[in-house]
């Protein structure tokens, strides 16, 4: 060991000189010194130092540069104190303008504070803990991904597998503790409960870790998230495998603290981690990266031949990109042009913390933060003082040092399988070699038996019945619980624990049972317990296995079917009024359409008004006999008769139901009204309903506790209470956060969908039917207006359309036959009314009547010419006229003019017939 310490300074000297020689391409370039703090005793430190050297070679091999970086390497020796000492030396003695490193978060935290004081940027490519932040130390830059960037990826894995509980295992240092708050918040956001946190010191012994693992074995949770470094992680999983916890039923997820370094771990150890899911930072492939890997591998084997399995991981790539970002920033800033500024006397002070301030640090910091280029690790872009998160790949360790990529995650597309088309992982080999994902929760073989509370009560033994012998516990709720336990995919040992005083006061509240579960004195509760808001804050309820809610039981009375107005009950008042209105409306429409062309709809006003009502209401019994002359009126009547047919048929059916079927009505429907009236209200002993009634301002003397269904009936029959308010039982209760809730709820769904639920209901509750709602009983036989709105809309539209068409042609006819331009408004209105009241002689009805009268007059004229000759002679002789005078009709050749002929007077005498006609 002494020999190693003796040669170590010479090794650093030659390493520094070789790196300085490689970068001294342009001797006129301004040197910019930067410090590099690494742990050169570990493979990662050696890998990183070589990547830094190659980055400087590659950067300055391309063209001429005004400045060149000069590295000052220091070994942290995996010790925080040594790292702090190295940082002080670089700032006080070397006056570096930037510090790259250290490797771990604990070392970086102190060095970054020193750099912040000297206004010197500190850039770390491997310190990933969220504890480090540019908000805390403005001159700190993280050239790597923040550990908090992967918590959403882990949470999405839990969502895809529907895991509800997790155990967190982490390294007890700044690196391990820093990520846990972010991870816990992510789990809380998706409803995953952290059942236990195991913090393991970095220097923990095997015995300490074994005690923690034994503790985890006794727990019910079987999903573990491990966040620790490579060294402690290797020790931890070696013991996990030895204790048999890498077997079927377990699920292990490791963060990229282990995932990114799998290639640097012993293959035999990786083989013992078969089934583990690990997160790795995804690095996109490129030709530049492939060429670099070849060159790096050759150089590393030549420089460190003692390392059997060299591996270039993402931290080496970040180290390479960090040096490029620093070199680019040095070119664009004032770095290298000024020395540190000291306060009075501090330059020569022996105080180790008395160092100067870099005048170019602020400009160099700004230039580094604006870096944006395509590096070996991908897109190198800083935001918020750290490298932006890109994509994670999820790997599955399958043994023999191998692993398969089973998924990807990025902030935009979230979790997806390698094919990129599902929100889940690909094919995974889980611990134990199975391909089916673990449930995440089991009852351990050495776990305790669940203690399930059941309430003791006198009444309603159909739900829970606790008998004194044994005790023997039966009932509807008990049988459902037993069937649900059988439906679970794992064994669930339990025992029933009766709770209550069967022979004492039965009015103890069920909230006492809830408190027992909340205080974790028992593991569950089975019985007729109802979900309410205050209870759900204390315990978790499963899905209900029967209807839920609160109901009011009241006496009913038969409806009086002998009252005189029973014939009015089939229709609601609104429907009666609307029906009557449409009868009158239809009668008026028919009268308006027929008045000018149909003699049956003419006459004195009183007769016409009576005809309107008679004709409309006679359609109700289809007794209308008046013939219609208008086609519009016929269409209106056909539609209206159809509506009347539907309405009367419905009325008849509803009236028959009212007169023949027994009807009941509740004596009360409003609970608040009963309370305001001072009526007594009953409730089941121990129910929360008592508190509910008090919230509705019910007095203590109004509230009556009842225990059995017989007491319910007696209290209602003898009018001890006006109503009974009761809850509907349906629930199983577990402590808040119990993993049983989701499993039991799923099992309840399976039981309720099967035949066993029906058998249990018939066994305990019989073939009972659900009571209909009181409001439905009151209104089920009354026909509402809403049901006939379509019919009334139809007949109203047809009638209104017919009236519009009629008056359109009426107005045209009026305008043709009258000149109203010189009349005033009042005279015009009177003229229109008079025109409407006149007969429409052009209608078919009056044309036929005129033709009929004309034919009658012709026959009468023919009879006049057929009088006997003797009479004519005698008449002629008496009058002294040789011949008879021809009639006007004969004089015109019996041609009937096309105008109205009105017969003024027709007289037939013994000696002559005289016909007077006027045109």
């Amino acid at each position: 060991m002494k020999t190693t310490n003796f040669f170590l300074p010479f090794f650093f000297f030659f390493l520094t000189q070789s790196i300085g020689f490689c970068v001294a391409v342009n001797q006129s370039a301004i040197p910019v010194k930067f410090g590099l703090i690494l742990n050169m005793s570990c493979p990662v430190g050696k890998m990183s130092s070589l990547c830094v050297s190659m980055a400087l070679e590659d950067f300055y091999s391309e063209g001429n540069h005004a400045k060149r970086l000069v590295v000052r390497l220091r070994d942290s020796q995996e010790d925080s104190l040594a790292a702090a000492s190295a940082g002080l030396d670089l700032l006080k003695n070397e006056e570096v303008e930037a510090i790259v490193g250290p490797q771990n978060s604990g070392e970086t935290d102190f060095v970054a504070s020193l750099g912040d004081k000297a206004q010197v940027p500190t850039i770390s490519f491997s310190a990933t803990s969220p504890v480090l932040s540019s908000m805390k130390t403005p001159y700190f830059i993280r050239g790597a991904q923040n550990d908090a960037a992967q918590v959403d990826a882990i949470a999405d894995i839990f969502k895809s597998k529907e895991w509800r509980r997790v155990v967190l295992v982490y390294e007890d240092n700044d690196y391990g503790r820093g990520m846990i708050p972010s991870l816990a918040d992510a789990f809380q956001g998706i409803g995953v409960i952290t059942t236990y946190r195991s913090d393991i010191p970095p220097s923990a012994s095997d015995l300490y870790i074994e005690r923690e693992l034994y503790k985890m074995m006794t727990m019910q949770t079987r999903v573990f998230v491990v966040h620790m470094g490579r060294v402690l992680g290797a020790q931890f999983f070696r013991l996990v495998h030895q204790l048999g916890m890498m077997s079927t039923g377990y699920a292990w997820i490791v963060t990229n603290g282990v995932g990114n370094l799998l290639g640097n771990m012993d293959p035999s150890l990786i083989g013992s981690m078969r089934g583990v899911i690990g997160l790795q930072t995804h690095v996109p492939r490129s030709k530049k990266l492939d060429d670099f890997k070849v060159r790096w591998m050759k150089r590393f084997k030549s420089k460190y031949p003692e390392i059997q399995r060299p591996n270039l991981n993402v931290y080496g790539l970040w180290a390479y990109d960090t040096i490029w970002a620093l070199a680019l920033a040095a070119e664009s800033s004032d770095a290298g042009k000024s020395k540190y500024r000291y306060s009075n006397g501090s330059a020569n002070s022996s105080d180790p913390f008395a160092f100067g301030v870099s005048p170019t640090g602020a400009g160099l910091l700004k230039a580094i933060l604006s870096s944006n280029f395509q590096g070996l690790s991908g897109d190198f872009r800083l935001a918020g003082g750290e490298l932006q998160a890109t994509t994670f790949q999820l790997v599955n360790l399958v043994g023999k040092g191998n692993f398969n990529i089973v998924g990807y995650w990025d902030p935009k597309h979230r979790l997806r399988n390698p094919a990129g088309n599902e929100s889940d992982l690909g094919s995974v080999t889980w611990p134990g070699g199975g391909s089916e994902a673990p449930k995440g929760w089991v009852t351990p073989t050495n776990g305790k038996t669940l203690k399930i509370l059941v309430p003791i009560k006198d009444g309603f033994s159909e739900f829970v019945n606790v008998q004194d012998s044994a005790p023997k516990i039966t009932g509807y709720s008990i049988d459902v619980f037993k069937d649900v336990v059988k439906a679970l995919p794992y064994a669930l040992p339990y025992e029933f624990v009766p709770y209550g005083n069967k022979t004492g006061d039965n009015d103890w509240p069920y909230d006492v049972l809830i408190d027992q579960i909340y205080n974790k004195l028992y593991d569950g509760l089975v019985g007729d317990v109802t979900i309410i808001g205050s209870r759900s804050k204390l315990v978790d309820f499963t899905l209900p296995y029967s209807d839920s809610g609160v109901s009011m039981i009241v006496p009913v009375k038969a409806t009086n079917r002998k009252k005189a107005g029973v014939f009015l009950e089939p229709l609601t008042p609104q429907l009666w009024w609307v029906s009557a209105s449409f009868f009158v409306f239809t009668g008026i429409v028919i009268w308006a359409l027929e008045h000018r062309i149909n003699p049956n709809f003419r006459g004195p006003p009183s007769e016409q008004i009576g005809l309107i009502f008679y004709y409309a209401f006679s359609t109700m019994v289809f007794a209308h006999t008046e013939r219609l002359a208008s086609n519009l009126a016929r269409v209106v009547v056909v539609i209206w008769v159809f509506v009347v047919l539907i309405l009367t048929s419905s009325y008849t059916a509803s009236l028959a139901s009212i007169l023949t079927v027994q009807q009941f009505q509740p004596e009360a429907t409003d609970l608040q009204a009963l309370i305001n009236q001072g009526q007594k209200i009953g409730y089941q002993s121990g129910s929360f309903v008592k508190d509910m009634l008090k919230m509705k301002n019910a007095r203590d003397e109004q509230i009556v506790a009842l225990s059995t269904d017989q007491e319910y009936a007696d209290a209602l029959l003898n009018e001890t209470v006006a109503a009974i308010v009761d809850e509907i039982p349906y629930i199983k209760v577990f402590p808040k956060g119990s993993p049983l809730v989701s499993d039991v709820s799923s099992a309840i769904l399976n039981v309720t969908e099967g035949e066993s639920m029906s058998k249990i209901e018939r066994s305990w509750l019989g073939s009972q039917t659900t009571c209909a709602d009181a409001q439905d009983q009151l209104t089920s036989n009354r026909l509402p207006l809403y049901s006939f709105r379509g019919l009334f809309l139809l007949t109203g539209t047809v009638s209104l359309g017919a009236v519009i068409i009629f008056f359109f042609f009426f107005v045209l006819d009026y305008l043709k036959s009258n000149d109203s331009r010189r009349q005033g408004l009042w005279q015009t209105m009177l003229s229109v009314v008079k025109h409407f009241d006149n007969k429409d002689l052009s209608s078919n009805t009056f044309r036929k009547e005129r033709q009929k009268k004309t034919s009658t007059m012709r026959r009468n004229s023919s009879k006049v010419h057929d009088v006997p000759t003797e009479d004519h002679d005698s008449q002629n002789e008496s009058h002294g006229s040789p011949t008879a005078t021809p009639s006007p009709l004969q004089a015109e050749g019996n041609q009937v003019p096309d105008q109205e002929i009105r017969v003024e007077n027709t007289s037939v005498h013994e000696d002559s017939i005289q016909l007077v006609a006027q045109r």
Side-chain angles (χ1 to χ4, degrees):
M1 185 67 183
K2 292 181 180 179
T3 305
T4 303
N5 293 336
F6 176 78
F7 287 105
L8 192 59
F10 293 98
F11 170 75
F12 288 137
F13 174 77
F14 286 112
L15 178 63
T16 305
Q17 295 301 318
S18 63
I19 295 177
F21 174 77
C22 293
V23 300
V25 178
N26 185 0
Q27 298 296 333
S28 62
I30 300 174
V32 178
K33 292 187 293 184
F34 75 96
L36 178 62
I37 304 176
L38 298 174
N39 177 19
M40 297 303 298
S41 62
C42 72
V44 176
K46 296 174 182 179
M47 173 201 66
S48 302
S49 68
L50 182 56
C51 289
V52 170
S53 175
M54 296 179 68
L56 292 172
E57 292 177 12
D58 293 346
F59 183 82
Y60 291 112
S61 65
E62 299 178 0
N64 295 324
H65 298 277
K67 301 172 184 178
R68 60 179 176 86
L69 295 178
V70 178
V71 63
R72 295 292 183 262
L73 180 63
R74 298 292 185 271
D75 186 6
S76 67
Q77 302 176 15
E78 203 173 359
D79 182 73
S80 297
L81 184 59
S85 177
L88 286 171
D89 176 60
L90 292 170
L91 293 172
K92 187 174 180 64
N93 300 323
E94 296 290 347
E95 293 189 355
V96 295
E97 301 195 43
I99 297 177
V100 177
Q103 283 178 228
N104 63 57
S105 300
E107 298 170 359
T108 305
D109 190 15
F110 186 76
V111 173
S113 299
L114 296 176
D116 198 56
K117 182 178 179 181
Q119 296 184 11
V120 172
T122 302
I123 316 168
S124 177
F125 55 84
S126 57
T128 57
S129 173
V131 172
L132 300 170
S133 170
S134 59
M135 299 293 294
K136 177 182 177 183
T137 51
Y139 279 81
F140 170 73
I141 301 172
R142 195 196 318 272
Q145 288 183 352
N146 192 326
D147 281 339
Q150 59 188 321
V151 298
D152 287 337
I154 299 174
D156 282 355
I157 296 175
F158 273 72
K159 287 175 61 178
S160 68
K161 300 305 176 185
E162 297 183 354
W163 292 329
R164 303 300 183 103
R165 297 168 75 88
V166 64
V167 172
L168 301 181
V169 185
Y170 58 93
E171 190 169 348
D172 190 14
N173 55 16
D174 288 343
Y175 165 74
R177 292 188 298 268
M179 176 182 168
I180 297 306
S182 299
L183 190 57
D185 290 343
F187 282 141
Q188 185 177 3
I190 61 173
V192 174
I193 298 174
T194 302
T195 60
Y196 182 66
R197 296 184 183 184
S198 176
D199 51 340
I200 300 178
S203 59
S205 64
D206 286 357
L207 182 60
Y208 181 92
I209 297 176
E210 286 178 355
R211 284 201 301 264
E212 284 295 307
L213 291 176
Y214 278 122
K215 188 184 300 183
M216 297 177 199
M217 289 177 64
T218 62
M219 298 177 183
Q220 299 172 337
T221 306
R222 286 294 183 264
V223 184
F224 304 89
V225 175
V226 180
H227 178 58
M228 53 183 58
R230 176 185 62 87
V231 177
L232 183 59
Q235 180 187 7
F236 178 80
F237 278 104
R238 175 174 55 82
L239 297 174
V240 167
H241 180 73
Q242 291 178 3
L243 295 181
M245 297 179 68
M246 200 62 67
S247 57
T248 302
Y250 287 90
W252 295 91
I253 299 175
V254 295
T255 63
N256 61 1
V258 173
N260 285 338
L261 298 175
L262 289 175
N264 299 93
M265 298 176 71
D266 188 351
S268 61
L269 175 63
I270 297 178
S272 65
M273 296 172 62
R274 185 185 183 192
V276 172
I277 299 294
L279 276 77
Q280 292 182 342
T281 302
H282 175 67
V283 178
R285 292 194 59 179
S286 64
K287 186 177 184 304
K288 182 179 179 181
L289 176 61
D290 293 339
D291 294 341
F292 179 80
K293 286 182 177 180
V294 173
R295 293 191 295 119
W296 181 91
M297 187 64 68
K298 183 178 179 180
R299 293 272 295 271
F300 192 88
K301 288 182 178 180
S302 174
K303 194 169 187 177
Y304 305 105
E306 71 278 6
I307 298 180
Q308 299 297 323
R309 298 181 66 254
N311 179 69
L312 177 63
N313 56 45
V314 69
Y315 297 108
L317 303 181
W318 282 336
Y320 183 96
D321 292 342
T322 297
I323 297 302
W324 270 71
L326 180 59
L328 290 171
E331 292 289 333
S332 60
S333 66
D334 294 334
K337 296 182 179 180
S338 301
K339 295 184 178 182
Y340 279 20
R341 292 196 297 263
Y342 294 88
S343 58
N344 295 332
S346 62
N348 300 319
S349 174
S350 60
D351 184 1
F353 294 97
F355 43 78
V357 176
S358 173
T360 60
L364 183 61
L365 174 67
K366 183 178 180 181
I368 296 173
L369 292 177
S370 62
S371 300
N372 189 356
F373 61 91
Q374 193 68 25
L376 291 181
S377 62
D379 189 16
F380 192 91
R381 185 178 69 258
L382 299 174
E386 60 187 21
L387 188 66
Q388 287 301 286
T390 53
T391 303
F392 292 99
Q393 62 186 27
L394 289 85
V395 297
N396 177 214
L397 279 68
V398 294
K400 298 181 181 180
N402 299 320
F403 55 82
N404 297 327
I405 298 176
V406 294
Y408 294 94
W409 186 94
D410 64 75
K412 181 179 180 181
H413 301 96
R414 310 295 290 189
L415 181 65
R416 61 190 188 280
N417 61 16
N421 54 3
E422 292 183 12
S423 298
D424 199 356
L425 300 176
S427 177
V428 177
T429 300
W430 297 98
S435 58
E436 184 178 354
K439 287 185 60 64
W441 184 92
V442 294
T443 301
T445 56
N446 54 350
K448 66 176 183 179
T449 300
L450 298 181
K451 294 183 178 180
I452 306 299
L453 278 180
V454 291
I456 297 177
K457 49 192 288 186
D458 283 342
F460 299 99
S461 58
E462 297 88 352
F463 294 98
V464 178
N465 184 20
V466 180
Q467 302 177 12
D468 294 333
S469 58
K472 184 179 180 182
I473 302 175
T474 58
Y476 172 74
S477 299
I478 302 301
D479 284 357
V480 171
F481 176 79
K482 291 179 178 179
D483 273 21
V484 167
V485 171
K486 292 178 182 178
L488 292 173
Y490 47 82
L492 184 67
Y494 66 90
E495 63 176 344
F496 291 124
V497 180
Y499 189 93
N501 184 6
K502 187 172 183 178
T503 58
D505 183 16
N506 288 310
D507 194 18
W508 51 273
Y510 268 33
D511 288 342
V512 174
L513 298 174
I514 300 298
D515 292 337
Q516 301 296 313
I517 305 301
Y518 173 71
N519 294 323
K520 297 186 178 180
L521 300 176
Y522 299 91
D523 301 301
L525 168 62
V526 174
D528 48 344
V529 185
T530 301
I531 292 179
I532 58 176
S534 59
R535 293 176 179 176
S536 62
K537 296 178 181 178
L538 303 177
V539 295
D540 283 339
F541 293 88
T542 64
L543 288 176
Y545 52 84
S546 66
D547 294 335
S548 61
V550 177
S551 297
M552 184 171 68
I553 307 172
V554 296
V556 295
K557 57 183 179 181
T559 303
N560 185 9
R561 298 178 297 176
K562 298 181 180 180
K563 58 184 180 181
V566 69
F567 69 93
L568 296 175
E569 292 187 3
L571 308 183
T572 60
Q574 295 86 352
L575 184 55
W576 276 116
W577 282 109
V578 172
S579 300
S581 300
F582 266 86
F583 272 105
V584 176
F585 172 70
T586 304
I588 294 174
V589 170
I590 298 300
W591 172 82
L593 298 177
E594 293 289 324
H595 177 69
R596 301 187 71 240
I597 62 174
N598 193 337
N600 295 326
F601 288 84
R602 300 184 64 82
S606 59
E607 292 185 6
Q608 295 187 48
I609 294 174
L611 182 63
I612 289 174
F613 286 94
Y614 164 75
Y615 188 87
F617 285 96
S618 64
T619 58
M620 185 167 55
V621 292
F622 310 105
H624 51 288
T625 58
E626 289 74 7
R627 298 185 63 181
L628 302 178
S630 171
N631 288 330
L632 292 176
R634 291 166 184 160
V635 172
V636 171
V637 170
V638 168
I639 299 299
W640 174 242
V641 169
F642 171 74
V643 173
V644 170
L645 176 63
I646 300 299
L647 193 61
T648 54
S649 300
S650 302
Y651 173 85
T652 303
S654 181
L655 181 61
S657 175
I658 292 175
L659 295 176
T660 57
V661 179
Q662 182 70 34
Q663 301 290 318
F664 294 97
Q665 284 187 333
E667 293 186 356
T669 58
D670 189 348
L671 175 62
Q672 191 62 53
L674 293 176
I675 294 175
N676 296 338
Q677 295 169 8
Q679 300 287 344
K680 290 186 177 182
I681 310 297
Y683 75 100
Q684 184 182 167
S685 300
S687 172
F688 75 95
V689 173
K690 181 178 181 180
D691 295 331
M692 186 193 75
L693 293 174
K694 289 184 176 180
M695 292 178 62
K696 293 181 174 291
N697 300 322
R699 301 185 303 275
D700 289 338
E701 59 269 18
Q702 289 183 260
I703 305 174
V704 180
L706 304 171
S707 299
T708 65
D709 51 355
Q710 185 60 45
E711 290 184 8
Y712 277 23
D714 294 342
L716 291 173
L717 291 175
N718 57 30
E719 298 183 355
T720 302
V721 297
I724 298 174
V725 180
D726 198 3
E727 57 184 315
I728 302 176
Y730 57 93
I731 286 302
K732 297 181 180 68
V733 182
F734 292 96
K736 201 72 174 177
S738 173
L740 278 171
V741 174
S742 59
D743 290 342
V744 171
S745 296
S746 299
I748 286 176
L749 291 177
N750 295 330
V751 171
T752 54
E753 292 173 356
E755 289 292 329
S756 59
M757 194 68 179
S758 300
K759 294 180 181 178
I760 294 174
E761 289 181 353
R762 289 194 297 269
S763 174
W764 288 102
L765 306 180
S767 300
Q768 299 178 359
T769 57
T770 304
C771 295
D773 186 73
Q775 189 63 26
D776 293 339
Q777 290 285 342
L778 288 172
T779 60
S780 59
N781 291 320
R782 306 202 74 179
L783 301 176
L785 173 63
Y786 186 81
S787 300
F788 297 90
R789 66 190 187 283
L791 292 175
F792 287 118
L793 180 63
L794 173 63
T795 184
T797 302
V798 172
S799 299
L800 188 61
V803 170
I804 292 174
I805 294 173
F806 167 77
F807 277 103
F808 175 77
F809 288 103
F810 168 77
V811 171
L812 290 180
D813 180 65
Y814 172 78
L815 294 176
K816 290 180 181 180
S817 58
N818 294 275
D819 186 6
S820 59
R821 288 176 296 179
R822 298 181 179 179
Q823 297 179 359
L825 178 61
W826 181 249
Q827 290 79 5
T828 301
M829 292 178 62
L830 291 178
S831 177
V832 170
V833 171
K834 183 177 181 181
H835 185 74
F836 176 78
D837 190 54
N838 291 334
K839 294 181 179 179
D840 185 1
L841 298 178
S842 63
S843 65
N844 188 44
T845 302
F846 290 111
R847 185 183 298 115
K848 289 181 178 181
E849 182 179 351
R850 187 174 63 250
Q851 292 175 355
K852 183 178 179 181
K853 290 181 178 180
T854 303
S855 177
T856 302
M857 286 188 293
R858 287 178 176 176
R859 288 196 298 270
N860 291 336
S861 175
S862 175
K863 290 180 181 181
V864 172
H865 287 285
D866 289 340
V867 176
T869 307
E870 299 81 21
D871 294 338
H872 282 282
D873 293 340
S874 59
Q875 289 291 335
N876 291 333
E877 289 177 0
S878 59
H879 288 282
S881 299
T883 60
T885 306
S887 67
L889 291 176
Q890 289 175 326
E892 293 182 5
N894 295 330
Q895 297 296 325
V896 179
D898 218 13
Q899 299 178 7
E900 179 183 3
I901 298 177
R902 183 160 51 91
V903 179
E904 294 282 346
N905 183 25
T906 303
S907 58
V908 179
H909 301 278
E910 293 181 358
D911 55 344
S912 65
I913 296 176
Q914 183 179 8
L915 177 63
V916 180
Q918 179 180 357
R919 297 193 178 203

